[in-house]
Amino acid sequence: VLLLAYLVYVGLGASVLQALERPAEVRTARRLLQQRWELLANHSCLQGPTLQRLIQGVIEAYKSGVTTQGNSTSLGRWDFSGSFFFSISAITTIGYGNLSPSTVAGRIFCILFALFGIPLNLVLLNEIGQLMLLGVQRSAHHLEEKFHWKIKATLVMKTCALVTGLLLFLLLPPLLFSSKEGWTYEEGFYYSFITLSTIGFGDYVIGMNPDRTYPSWYKNVISLWILFGMAWLALIIKFCISLLE
């Protein structure tokens, strides 16, 4: 019965996403094809295979973090800040997919790094989550002793912890992303949840716009936000799991 409910839920999600996203995909494909034919028609010196190789080269370069700016190229995704952020996304299993090692040595190291880093990350997240729970329980105990509440104290503290977590990890960060990335609030909120839930589609990633200048602290602060936000969201998901069970 549980497996059947699971398959029905996934099938329902697939149907809704197909209805919502398929028309946009078709429009994008038609627009791209039209632009390609217009470019070839207006510039007769261009040849189809040559243009296709250029497009493929741009796609491969973008995947490696290289973009063109005038007559030069933009680097910087593999500086220390970018590498640190990639390391966080690897051991937290977010795996945005917008950046990955391109060398054999880098891929081998990434495997070994993740092999030991993922358990370390899970242990750390578990400890942070336990500290959060302990803080809520102690605060509830103090309220119970001071105001002689019993059930109310626990309910009040759990509500405060939920609201505080929502503000710190989901509701306020999109304002920062809007300022630094130029995203809308909805895009920032979407990125926050997709990141903290470790889904990590990679369609929105911070610090990757070559046209913007980011402060040195930006990615480091976001890395800490990811760490503590994942611990908080894991507690919420754990509570949802207990309800389902």
Side-chain angles (χ1 to χ4, degrees):
V1 172
L2 185 60
L3 177 60
L4 180 61
Y6 180 87
L7 293 175
V8 169
Y9 187 78
V10 174
L12 178 63
S15 300
V16 173
L17 287 170
Q18 182 183 17
L20 293 175
E21 297 296 330
R22 181 66 175 178
E25 181 187 35
V26 172
R27 288 195 300 269
T28 301
R30 288 175 178 171
R31 185 166 61 249
L32 178 62
L33 190 61
Q34 182 180 1
Q35 290 173 346
R36 181 179 183 274
W37 284 116
E38 287 178 355
L39 182 63
L40 290 173
N42 295 330
H43 300 82
S44 57
C45 58
L46 286 176
Q47 296 180 350
T50 304
L51 178 61
Q52 190 62 37
R53 285 195 298 271
L54 174 62
I55 293 173
Q56 192 63 35
V58 171
I59 293 173
E60 293 298 326
Y62 182 78
K63 287 181 179 179
S64 301
V66 179
T67 56
T68 58
Q69 289 183 323
N71 293 324
S72 62
T73 54
S74 172
L75 302 174
R77 291 193 178 186
W78 284 112
D79 57 9
F80 182 80
S81 179
S83 301
F84 184 84
F85 189 73
F86 172 79
S87 300
I88 289 285
S89 69
I91 64 174
T92 54
T93 70
I94 295 173
Y96 289 113
N98 69 308
L99 190 62
S100 58
S102 58
T103 63
V104 175
R107 289 168 181 168
I108 293 174
F109 174 78
C110 189
I111 293 172
L112 297 174
F113 181 74
L115 186 63
F116 295 98
I118 291 173
L120 176 63
N121 178 73
L122 291 175
V123 170
L124 178 61
L125 288 182
N126 183 62
E127 289 298 320
I128 293 175
Q130 293 301 321
L131 285 175
M132 288 179 176
L133 278 177
L134 185 61
V136 171
Q137 291 170 353
R138 286 183 176 178
S139 299
H141 181 67
H142 288 317
L143 281 178
E144 185 178 342
E145 286 184 342
K146 188 173 183 179
F147 298 102
H148 304 290
W149 292 346
K150 292 184 179 180
I151 300 177
K152 284 184 178 180
T154 303
L155 181 62
V156 167
M157 288 312 305
K158 285 184 176 179
T159 303
C160 289
L162 177 63
V163 172
T164 302
L166 282 172
L167 286 172
L168 290 178
F169 302 121
L170 287 179
L171 298 180
L172 293 180
L175 298 177
L176 175 63
F177 300 141
S178 297
S179 172
K180 298 300 180 183
E181 304 291 341
W183 299 341
T184 64
Y185 184 85
E186 177 271 328
E187 290 171 332
F189 184 83
Y190 168 79
Y191 166 78
S192 299
F193 181 80
I194 293 300
T195 294
L196 298 185
S197 60
T198 72
I199 295 173
F201 288 125
D203 48 351
Y204 289 93
V205 184
I206 60 102
M208 295 298 174
N209 190 340
D211 298 326
R212 288 182 173 268
T213 302
Y214 301 99
S216 57
W217 54 263
Y218 183 52
K219 286 187 178 180
N220 297 328
V221 169
I222 297 303
S223 298
L224 290 176
W225 165 76
I226 289 174
L227 193 61
F228 286 92
M230 282 180 61
W232 173 79
L233 191 59
L235 292 177
I236 303 300
I237 293 175
K238 186 177 180 181
F239 175 72
C240 294
I241 290 174
S242 65
L243 287 180
L244 286 173
E245 288 180 339

